Amino acid sequence: MSSARLRIRWYGHSTFLVHTPGGVRVLFDPWFTDNPACPPGLKRPPAVDLILVSHGHADHIGDLVPAARDSGAPVVGGFELCDWLGRKGIANVHAMNKGGSQTVAGLRVTMTDARHSSGFTDNGQMIYMGEPAGYIVGLENGLTLYYAGDTCLFGDMHLIGEMYRPDIAFLPIGDRFTMDPAAAAKACELLGVRQVVPMHWGTFPVLTGTPGALRALVEPKGVQVLELKPGETAE
Ligand code: NI
Ligand code: MN
């Protein structure tokens, strides 16, 4: 089952299913069940070939265990998060750390920095889930994606741009827990991307950043904002 085009489906918040031009289905930060933005008909984890996880907050791994178990797909995440996943009975884990790359499901995946925190409440205890991360993913057609995870703006995004030349960036814009649209606009500039997919907005009232605010800042500079509705797929 392959398709020549890149397809991106948003489940709301930071959960995306990316269907690569080579036919690999990549799931980012699976959160369906308790995700208020996820359409009712899409609450079940989809069939996928690869799962990438940015950090251990519940709004990013809420459905990671069932998604990994049901699909059997390899899961890429930080060392501590993968250790936790292993203790949940998930065996197909491919732990890594920042700066490292590996080829999984035929895709070259590099773990980047992200500035945030990472912990998960399990049986009433806050468990340390390692450092939060982002990902660079090289696609079969030469396009490069950058999925920032949850992060503030940081100057080394310039280095990520210089080193990996991402074409499309998935950036949080909701404010409060991550960047706001103004910071995300600066991130687009540092990264040198031509297209940006806003995420981590609109899920809760406190996430006030909007794609419109981002668009007003970046479109005059030639950056396209790919605004999706939850459940919608962009090509
Ligand atoms: Ni978070
Ligand atoms: Mn989050």
Side-chain angles (χ1 to χ4, degrees), residues 115-144:
R115 306 278 174 84
H116 190 65
S117 65
S118 183
F120 187 76
T121 306
D122 217 351
N123 296 318
Q125 292 270 343
M126 176 64 83
I127 297 174
Y128 175 62
M129 294 290 258
E131 288 215 1
Y135 290 100
I136 289 285
V137 183
L139 303 182
E140 303 90 343
N141 63 352
L143 275 184
T144 300

Side-chain angles (χ1 to χ4, degrees), residues 1-233:
M1 208 179 27
S2 87
S3 158
R5 307 187 68 171
L6 169 67
R7 295 205 298 273
I8 300 167
R9 176 176 238 183
W10 191 38
Y11 288 81
H13 207 58
S14 296
T15 305
F16 290 90
L17 179 62
V18 171
H19 197 117
T20 74
V24 182
R25 298 160 299 180
V26 187
L27 181 63
F28 289 89
D29 285 3
W31 187 43
F32 307 102
T33 311
D34 299 329
N35 180 348
C38 180
L42 295 174
K43 292 288 189 183
R44 287 171 68 93
V48 297
D49 305 297
L50 174 62
I51 302 173
L52 301 183
V53 190
S54 66
H55 65 296
H57 283 154
D59 57 324
H60 298 259
I61 67 162
D63 290 277
L64 175 58
V65 170
R69 194 180 47 224
D70 296 354
S71 67
V75 181
V76 171
F79 183 82
E80 291 81 2
L81 199 157
C82 285
D83 180 76
W84 172 84
L85 205 52
R87 280 181 276 119
K88 294 291 176 189
I90 303 300
N92 197 4
V93 292
H94 296 245
M96 64 192 305
N97 219 321
K98 296 174 187 179
S101 300
Q102 60 177 327
T103 301
V104 196
L107 297 175
R108 194 70 178 158
V109 176
T110 302
M111 185 177 265
T112 67
D113 200 9
R115 306 278 174 84
H116 190 65
S117 65
S118 183
F120 187 76
T121 306
D122 217 351
N123 296 318
Q125 292 270 343
M126 176 64 83
I127 297 174
Y128 175 62
M129 294 290 258
E131 288 215 1
Y135 290 100
I136 289 285
V137 183
L139 303 182
E140 303 90 343
N141 63 352
L143 275 184
T144 300
L145 308 182
Y146 169 54
Y147 181 89
D150 280 3
T151 188
C152 63
L153 177 67
F154 55 95
D156 287 352
M157 284 181 178
H158 175 70
L159 283 178
I160 293 172
E162 199 177 293
M163 290 286 293
Y164 305 106
R165 307 251 168 232
D167 300 284
I168 305 173
F170 295 70
L171 301 179
I173 66 162
D175 203 349
R176 184 74 174 250
F177 300 102
T178 69
M179 292 192 279
D180 65 0
K186 186 67 186 177
C188 289
E189 189 185 316
L190 295 179
L191 293 161
V193 294
R194 306 302 306 277
Q195 292 185 305
V196 57
V197 181
M199 62 181 184
H200 216 274
W201 67 275
T203 323
F204 306 108
V206 297
L207 304 184
T208 53
T210 64
L214 178 64
R215 193 179 299 115
L217 295 168
V218 301
E219 276 196 351
K221 297 175 177 174
V223 178
Q224 185 192 4
V225 177
L226 299 172
E227 181 180 350
L228 290 165
K229 292 183 180 67
E232 197 177 30
T233 302

